[in-house]
Amino acid sequence: MSPIGIFDSGYGGLTILQQLRHHLPQYDYLYLGDNARAPYGSRSFDVVYQFTREAVLKLFDLGCQLVILGCNTASAKALRTIQQYDLPQYDPSRRVLGVIRPTVERIGNITESRHVGYVATEGTVMSNSYELEIAKFFPDIKVTGQACPLWAAIVEAGEADTDGADYFVKKRISQLFDRDPLIDTLILGCTHYPMLMKSIERAVPAGTKIIPQGNLVVESLEKYFECHPDMDARCSKNGTTRFMTTENPERFKQCAQLFLHTDVDVERIDLTL
């Protein structure tokens, strides 16, 4: 078995996994959530890198040839170092991909005003990853980020469809659009945030394009496999999914049901061993 590894600090990566399983059901997947040490959003670059590296190496040890960081914070703070430093030492033939680049590559074809906003964790916003990556591809686009520190917690508490969620979503969206009223495209820069889509749609100005990442990651992976058939051949295809967590499996099952709308079997794993 050589499943595609999906890593997230918590549960948000399940929105990426859901899209992958829907569009590419033939592959095997192994989801690993570092729920015991979540959230990553406010942690330092060094800590996020350390935790993400441990998870990636564990997924490699479990047979994954390809790992997707289904977490914007990990993609922003750890991906580049892992790609440039750890992979050459561990196994240059393995690959680790993130969720920021697939989003960025498409954004220039979506915005008309050339003003793009994104909502994300504090860590992702402070990293300036979206600003830097978009500037590489589309230097004419103005990018404005807004940290939304409570949004992921609201989702994981099962409160996504409440008046409280509406309040906190509207508050942050208003702050973002007050800073740049010309924004016509909003990137959901955290994989939890599609769960808040109804509140976000109510809060943004009419006509704003809202961009979740799941479908873009799927499209990017399909293109990656087309360009790298050797990696595609190394990923096993039995249509299975395996779930692992560093926290209480029962807690994971409850939260996973919010994202996947189905029961899952979960194994507990320790990344520090």
Side-chain angles (χ1 to χ4, degrees):
M1 296 289 288
S2 299
I4 297 171
I6 312 292
F7 170 68
D8 190 12
S9 59
Y11 302 98
L14 292 170
T15 62
I16 301 297
L17 174 65
Q18 185 179 40
Q19 293 300 316
L20 288 169
R21 292 204 301 176
H22 178 71
H23 294 283
L24 300 171
Q26 69 272 30
Y27 292 88
D28 296 314
Y29 298 100
L30 173 52
Y31 185 91
L32 172 56
D34 189 12
N35 307 91
R37 301 187 292 193
Y40 281 12
S42 59
R43 293 187 183 272
S44 69
F45 274 76
D46 288 343
V47 169
V48 172
Y49 163 65
Q50 174 191 336
F51 289 176
T52 304
R53 178 182 182 274
E54 290 172 355
V56 168
L57 295 182
K58 179 65 72 174
L59 288 167
F60 284 167
D61 289 343
L62 291 167
C64 298
Q65 303 294 312
L66 170 68
V67 173
I68 298 172
L69 303 184
C71 172
N72 281 267
T73 302
S75 296
K77 293 186 174 184
L79 177 61
R80 187 178 300 275
T81 304
I82 289 174
Q83 288 175 331
Q84 295 180 351
Y85 180 76
D86 294 296
L87 281 181
Q89 295 189 58
Y90 183 90
D91 183 349
S93 70
R94 308 277 182 120
R95 291 292 179 268
V96 182
L97 308 176
V99 293
I100 294 177
R101 178 64 70 89
T103 308
V104 164
E105 290 176 342
R106 291 286 304 278
I107 208 67
N109 298 324
I110 298 173
T111 177
E112 297 178 5
S113 70
R114 315 309 280 177
H115 289 250
V116 170
Y118 71 95
V119 284
T121 66
E122 181 183 4
T124 299
V125 173
M126 291 183 65
S127 75
N128 289 318
S129 293
Y130 276 98
E131 288 85 345
L132 294 170
E133 290 296 324
I134 290 176
K136 292 177 185 177
F137 290 92
F138 310 105
D140 63 312
I141 292 179
K142 179 181 178 181
V143 183
T144 307
Q146 176 64 51
C148 304
L150 292 177
W151 286 19
I154 289 171
V155 171
E156 293 190 7
E159 299 292 325
D161 294 320
T162 64
D163 291 341
D166 279 345
Y167 170 81
F168 286 108
V169 167
K170 184 176 181 179
K171 178 180 180 180
R172 298 304 181 187
I173 293 293
S174 296
Q175 290 173 346
L176 175 64
F177 281 86
D178 284 346
R179 291 162 59 203
D180 186 357
L182 297 180
I183 290 170
D184 72 344
T185 303
L186 177 67
I187 298 170
L188 305 187
C190 174
T191 48
H192 282 78
Y193 295 174
M195 301 291 289
L196 294 165
M197 184 64 78
K198 292 180 181 178
S199 293
I200 295 169
E201 288 176 339
R202 286 192 286 265
V204 299
T208 304
K209 305 176 190 71
I210 303 171
I211 312 300
Q213 296 174 301
N215 287 336
L216 300 182
V217 172
V218 171
E219 292 174 10
S220 179
L221 184 60
E222 288 176 320
K223 291 178 182 177
Y224 182 84
F225 282 146
E226 289 176 6
C227 296
H228 301 86
D230 56 326
M231 178 57 74
D232 183 37
R234 292 166 63 191
C235 295
S236 56
K237 302 173 182 66
N238 301 289
T240 68
T241 305
R242 187 178 175 190
F243 296 89
M244 292 185 169
T245 178
T246 58
E247 184 54 283
N248 185 330
E250 290 304 317
R251 165 66 176 160
F252 185 95
K253 287 181 181 181
Q254 293 174 6
C255 284
Q257 195 167 45
L258 295 173
F259 289 83
L260 302 176
H261 309 294
T262 186
D263 292 328
V264 300
D265 293 323
V266 191
E267 306 167 50
R268 189 183 181 281
I269 192 170
D270 193 334
L271 298 181
T272 60
L273 298 178

